[in-house]
Amino acid sequence: MPTIDPDAFDTLGEMLRPPPKPGKVKNKTWRPSLNPVQNQVFECETRNILVHGEKGTGKSIGCCHRVVRHCYENRNAMAFVLTIVKSMSDDGGAWHKLVTEILPEWERGLGLHWKRANDKQHNEFVWIQNQYNEWSQIKGISAPHPDQLRERFPGREPSLVFVDEITMCSTDEYFKAPSAQLGRRPFVEGVQQFIGACNPAGPSHWVHNLFFVAPFDEETGKWDDNFINIYVPLSDNEKNLPPDYIQHLKATYKHDPIEAARLIGGEWIDRPSGES
């Protein structure tokens, strides 16, 4: 397999010159500790994945581990962690989990080398060692408006895009713009994926249509194998939650049965017409 010329990084799109070449990992057989459904996400090689479930299920944790695995196993991988606003990536969000929990776990277990940095637009990213003892990259980006995606994604060549809280995204442009760029990144041999994670909204939401309705061809009765939706039950992650977490949720949504059904029951349910 060819080695990437370090001088070529500036022309491969988005990537600034990486740090010095990392050393070898210490334990190639190591795997992260995941619950059964998180492990399903970790192993999934379907092109388009939706990971959904109630609050507190560890959806983002499973997705972030998949992101790191992709970048570790592929040469020159570039993953985007996309949110609608930067604050969603800060305390408690996917990016925060990635740099404070997920990557340190890989560092302890695998001996993975990684380094935080900023690009020319002051967006944070991390260099992450891959199995070829070269560098891949994970970048956090935010786009409050779908028009910004049409402006920012042409010319970019990510090899994986993870959209956290995708049901908070207003239109399917948050799927179309990133997905149209996947599959083009050089030196990446593994599947180049789009991953979305969310709490349920209603069946009328574009995310539900994209992942639950559109992949099924009513004429042939066949499902499009490029799409999969994975439900993560709260019971799988309950042992990792504070003892009163679920009771607190029930008290919070006591007078809002729709949100209770979504965020505690994991149901895709619309609000009645006219109800705000």
Side-chain angles (χ1 to χ4, degrees):
M1 187 171 291
T3 300
I4 298 174
D5 179 355
D7 292 331
F9 272 99
D10 291 335
T11 65
L12 287 177
E14 299 289 320
M15 301 189 84
L16 306 181
R17 190 171 297 278
K21 189 173 180 179
K24 294 182 178 180
V25 297
K26 65 182 182 182
N27 182 7
K28 288 188 176 182
T29 63
W30 176 87
R31 292 174 63 86
S33 177
L34 301 170
N35 67 41
V37 183
Q38 286 174 334
N39 192 65
Q40 182 184 354
V41 176
F42 187 70
E43 298 288 350
C44 186
E45 295 188 353
T46 303
R47 171 67 183 268
N48 303 297
I49 307 170
L50 179 69
V51 184
H52 63 103
E54 49 266 40
K55 289 181 69 67
T57 59
K59 300 180 293 295
S60 296
I61 295 291
C63 292
C64 285
H65 277 292
R66 178 66 194 174
V67 170
V68 177
R69 179 178 183 174
H70 170 82
C71 290
Y72 172 70
E73 291 185 345
N74 287 282
R75 172 176 275 128
N76 188 43
M78 177 184 281
F80 286 171
V81 177
L82 172 62
T83 57
I84 56 173
V85 292
K86 188 176 185 302
S87 60
M88 289 175 60
S89 294
D90 294 334
D91 292 347
W95 186 262
H96 180 78
K97 290 184 174 71
L98 179 72
V99 297
T100 63
E101 300 178 37
I102 309 302
L103 286 170
E105 182 179 347
W106 281 73
E107 184 176 17
R108 291 189 300 269
L110 188 68
L112 186 79
H113 296 83
W114 60 286
K115 182 178 178 62
R116 297 175 76 166
N118 289 282
D119 66 13
K120 296 175 183 178
Q121 287 75 43
H122 307 292
N123 295 307
E124 187 173 10
F125 67 91
V126 294
W127 293 108
I128 177 171
Q129 177 184 12
N130 58 46
Q131 65 178 338
Y132 306 102
N133 296 319
E134 298 170 354
W135 294 103
S136 294
Q137 189 184 80
I138 306 175
K139 187 169 187 176
I141 59 176
S142 58
H145 306 291
D147 288 346
Q148 293 174 307
L149 296 173
R150 288 187 285 269
E151 296 169 1
R152 295 178 183 180
F153 269 91
R156 296 185 174 188
E157 295 181 351
S159 54
L160 184 147
V161 177
F162 167 40
V163 184
D164 195 28
E165 302 294 354
I166 192 172
T167 47
M168 297 183 69
C169 297
S170 57
T171 75
D172 63 357
E173 195 65 33
Y174 286 88
F175 168 77
K176 292 190 296 186
S179 186
Q181 300 303 106
L182 291 169
R184 300 166 55 187
R185 190 157 191 84
F187 303 102
V188 175
E189 295 190 340
V191 61
Q192 301 193 29
Q193 293 175 306
F194 179 95
I195 304 173
C198 66
N199 303 126
S204 62
H205 198 284
W206 68 265
V207 171
H208 187 276
N209 181 69
L210 179 67
F211 282 93
F212 289 86
V213 181
F216 181 72
D217 188 326
E218 293 186 356
E219 292 186 4
T220 64
K222 294 183 178 180
W223 181 268
D224 184 346
D225 291 337
N226 289 308
F227 288 82
I228 188 172
N229 57 77
I230 299 174
Y231 171 62
V232 186
L234 183 59
S235 57
D236 273 16
N237 199 51
E238 195 167 349
K239 65 181 181 181
N240 297 318
L241 298 172
D244 61 347
Y245 179 78
I246 297 176
Q247 287 303 118
H248 173 71
L249 282 182
K250 289 180 178 179
T252 300
Y253 297 108
K254 180 179 180 180
H255 301 293
D256 190 339
I258 301 300
E259 285 301 284
R262 294 172 176 175
L263 302 181
I264 303 173
E267 299 179 44
W268 289 81
I269 181 171
D270 279 318
R271 287 190 176 278
S273 178
E275 182 181 335
S276 62

